[in-house]
Amino acid sequence: MNTHYYLGWFTDFVPERLSQVLREDITDRKSLVMISSNPLDDEVDGAVEHSWLDQAGILFDDYHLINYCVQSEDAHTLIQNASVIFLLGGDTLKQNEFLLSYELSDWIRKSSAIVIGASAGAINMSAKWLCSKTFGYKVETASVYDGIGLGNFSVLSHFDLENNMALVQDELSLLSEEIDVYASNKDCALRVKGNKIDVLGVVYLISHSEIQKLEETF
């Protein structure tokens, strides 16, 4: 049963409730493979996301970062052998381009590893996601991008919902007619395990242009 985590962004630390569930799920701790969100910049090393797992007491035998310094064939092998795959936060578009250019999405979909995404990484785990000026992207025209597609839904992660609720609902209305959209603030998480979706923090479901706040389940 595959398990996927769609995280927002945790400024200080991961809540204990989430840490506990991560510890229970991540029993194989041989290899953590992180996928850069800015693969041309070696300074994007996943230190913050790495620290979340450290704080939760989840340590691995080996740590790897996939960016353009790694050959694509080696990247495929690392993903094949990963215990956990972590798509880092940062630049959603650059990460999406990297996933495409290195043909990583299919390898991630086929992997039995636990897959975690933070902010941009969570968005790129979506089946599809909306790139628009409303969500901070430097584009003139809104476009829908294909993500990895670990589940048939979209994720808007790490966005100020309370102050922009009507705008978010309007912007995502068309996409929500096609697939469900889960929108969350920064200190939030979705865990998808089999057919069950668990929620931590402020998360809304937008479906067929209707929006509802979801109850926390862990």
Side-chain angles (χ1 to χ4, degrees), residues 22 33-34 71 87 104 132 158 164 184 203 210-211 216:
L22 284 165
V33 175
M34 296 176 287
Q71 296 297 313
L87 287 95
L104 298 181
S132 78
H158 186 190
N164 299 281
S184 67
V203 180
E210 297 294 325
I211 189 165
E216 285 192 285

Side-chain angles (χ1 to χ4, degrees), residues 109-173:
R109 282 192 297 269
K110 290 188 295 187
S111 173
S112 60
I114 289 174
V115 183
I116 304 172
S119 192
I123 293 169
N124 272 318
M125 286 165 62
S126 300
K128 298 180 179 182
W129 56 275
L130 181 66
C131 174
S132 78
K133 189 180 295 184
T134 299
F135 302 136
Y137 297 101
K138 295 178 180 178
V139 294
E140 292 302 319
T141 306
S143 303
V144 174
Y145 281 76
D146 290 328
I148 297 168
L150 296 176
N152 189 33
F153 55 82
S154 182
V155 169
L156 171 65
S157 180
H158 186 190
F159 193 76
D160 181 6
L161 298 176
E162 278 79 7
N163 295 316
N164 299 281
M165 187 62 68
L167 187 63
V168 167
Q169 186 176 2
D170 181 65
E171 190 78 357
L172 292 172
S173 178

Side-chain angles (χ1 to χ4, degrees), residues 179-190:
I179 57 175
D180 288 345
V181 182
Y182 292 91
S184 67
N185 276 338
K186 61 177 184 176
D187 295 307
C188 300
L190 283 178

Side-chain angles (χ1 to χ4, degrees), residues 28-72:
D28 178 359
R29 302 181 183 180
K30 295 184 183 69
S31 173
L32 172 66
V33 175
M34 296 176 287
I35 299 177
S36 179
S37 62
N38 193 350
L40 287 172
D41 186 349
D42 289 339
E43 293 185 8
V44 179
D45 58 2
V48 174
E49 294 93 327
H50 185 168
S51 74
W52 297 342
L53 297 176
D54 287 350
Q55 290 164 7
I58 302 170
L59 305 177
F60 295 84
D61 296 336
D62 296 303
Y63 295 83
H64 303 278
L65 175 68
I66 296 177
N67 58 20
Y68 282 121
C69 292
V70 178
Q71 296 297 313
S72 61

Side-chain angles (χ1 to χ4, degrees), residues 79-100:
I79 288 172
Q80 267 187 303
N81 297 325
S83 307
V84 173
I85 300 166
F86 204 140
L87 287 95
L88 303 180
D91 193 314
T92 318
L93 283 168
K94 287 181 180 177
Q95 187 178 64
N96 188 272
E97 180 185 343
F98 182 53
L99 291 167
L100 187 64

